[in-house]
Amino acid sequence: MDTRQLAKIDLNLLVALQVLLEERNVSKAAGRLFITQSAMSKTLGRLRELFGDQLLTRTSHGMVPTPRATELQRGLIETLQGVQSLVSPAEFEPYHYQGEFSVAIAEYIGVAVLPLLVELLQREAPHIHIQTISRIEHQLEQLAAGNLDFSLHMAHSSYGADFNVTPLGGLPPVLLARQGHPLRHQKEITWDDIISYPHVSLYTPDIEELEFIRQSNDEIIEQGRKFERVFETSHLFTAFEVLRLTDSLMLGPPFLVHYSEFGDRVIALSLPKSSHVEVNYMLVTHRRTDHSKPHQW
């Protein structure tokens, strides 16, 4: 596309040409465009110069389009309608909308919200396609670059003015372990007990930016640095299978043990009473989607 050539064209000239071809009368065309007859005549002169053709010629039957003008008219209406469609607000009807949205979300969060989301979309917007990404760093940068539409993650310590942040609630973490773990019947679990076992960890993006790590002096942060982490993964089912087959422990949200798929594999153990951290979760979008009706819906 030769953008330099396009930059020389005044779109108003094409509008004026369409009106002239419809009216075939300079005075009437001027009236429709709310300009003077003199201004319309000058516009016709510019059009003739642009196309190198008379476009409209005077005859005893009034102004008649030249063959070049007739040729131009075939595509002119379609071109102007395309421009009008381009600048007009797009209509949005969820049920018939077809589009794709990219969502960054950890699998352990996704298991709680994505099935319900897809169930809702199947009823109200069945042609929307959701693509989830469970392992991606620098999520705020990816949102700003347009590589992500939404991010659901553990709260960061700060967000720039370009981001819309919706709190989704918070939960204290628990220790997840296999059903027959040696700590299951221990009345009060200490940090020494916890540190003595190997640990599985779920992949956490942008971990250095997390609110509860950067702003908390809680004991869980200090003690967590002493864990012997033997396995890290972004796959929740894999992590649970490792827990089921070993005496490893894993920090995670308490709601995971309420799912029937996991309840027969793992249990939740309380952290020592001295720990009182809460992990908050956020839905984040970039302001570039503020006027997108599908995104806002």
Side-chain angles (χ1 to χ4, degrees):
M1 179 182 293
D2 188 349
T3 54
R4 292 173 299 177
Q5 183 68 19
L6 287 174
K8 298 177 183 178
I9 301 174
D10 182 351
L11 181 61
N12 289 321
L13 288 177
L14 299 184
V15 175
L17 176 58
Q18 176 60 29
V19 174
L20 280 165
L21 291 173
E22 289 177 0
E23 297 294 343
R24 301 189 183 187
N25 183 289
V26 172
S27 297
K28 291 181 179 180
R32 280 184 57 182
L33 295 176
F34 302 101
I35 60 176
T36 64
Q37 182 174 340
S38 174
M40 191 75 248
S41 295
K42 290 180 181 178
T43 298
L44 178 56
R46 291 178 62 194
L47 284 164
R48 286 168 170 168
E49 182 179 353
L50 175 65
F51 290 104
D53 188 89
Q54 284 297 298
L55 299 177
L56 290 160
T57 57
R58 293 188 181 279
T59 70
S60 57
H61 299 288
M63 299 192 79
V64 177
T66 66
R68 173 68 168 140
T70 301
E71 179 186 350
L72 288 171
Q73 193 171 23
R74 293 192 186 107
L76 190 57
I77 294 177
E78 183 178 346
T79 298
L80 293 176
Q81 287 177 339
V83 173
Q84 185 176 33
S85 174
L86 188 65
V87 299
S88 298
E91 292 295 322
F92 174 66
E93 205 287 303
Y95 194 83
H96 298 289
Y97 178 78
Q98 297 186 25
E100 178 175 301
F101 298 91
S102 181
V103 183
I105 183 170
E107 189 177 2
Y108 73 90
I109 304 175
V111 74
V113 300
L114 291 176
L116 296 174
L117 172 63
V118 174
E119 180 189 30
L120 173 66
L121 291 178
Q122 284 297 293
R123 292 198 309 268
E124 300 191 17
H127 305 296
I128 284 180
H129 175 217
I130 300 294
Q131 178 190 36
T132 64
I133 305 172
S134 62
R135 195 176 184 100
I136 180 171
E137 293 283 347
H138 311 298
Q139 293 187 6
L140 298 184
E141 294 177 21
Q142 297 294 335
L143 284 167
N147 298 324
L148 289 175
D149 295 293
F150 302 94
S151 176
L152 278 77
H153 56 225
M154 287 189 281
H156 289 198
S157 59
S158 64
Y159 295 90
D162 289 344
F163 298 96
N164 305 309
V165 184
T166 304
L168 301 178
L171 292 167
V174 296
L175 277 172
L176 300 171
R178 67 180 178 87
Q179 286 280 1
H181 197 278
L183 292 179
R184 177 171 188 171
H185 299 293
Q186 189 161 316
K187 274 191 174 182
E188 189 170 329
I189 299 172
T190 68
W191 282 114
D192 286 340
D193 295 326
I194 295 170
I195 294 168
S196 69
Y197 288 94
H199 282 256
V200 171
S201 61
L202 289 169
Y203 163 78
T204 304
D206 305 326
I207 192 167
E208 68 281 355
E209 301 295 331
L210 298 186
E211 173 187 65
F212 81 95
I213 288 180
R214 296 190 67 176
Q215 298 182 355
S216 173
N217 294 318
D218 192 88
E219 192 175 9
I220 191 173
I221 306 301
E222 179 184 346
Q223 297 296 335
R225 297 189 180 101
K226 302 175 186 178
F227 292 172
E228 181 186 5
R229 291 180 171 84
V230 296
F231 183 64
E232 178 187 297
T233 183
S234 57
H235 300 289
L236 183 61
F237 282 86
T238 302
F240 273 34
E241 279 300 288
V242 172
L243 292 181
R244 187 178 69 85
L245 296 173
T246 70
D247 284 337
S248 299
L249 301 171
M250 184 176 79
L251 284 172
F255 59 77
L256 290 178
V257 297
H258 299 305
Y259 290 90
S260 58
E261 294 84 354
F262 307 141
D264 60 348
R265 305 185 201 183
V266 298
I267 56 173
L269 303 173
S270 298
L271 289 167
K273 293 179 180 179
S274 56
S275 174
H276 47 77
V277 69
E278 184 168 273
V279 178
N280 296 308
Y281 297 91
M282 302 292 178
L283 168 66
V284 186
T285 61
H286 190 267
R287 68 176 184 178
R288 67 183 177 80
T289 63
D290 283 356
H291 300 291
S292 167
K293 291 181 180 179
H295 283 82
Q296 294 304 310
W297 181 82

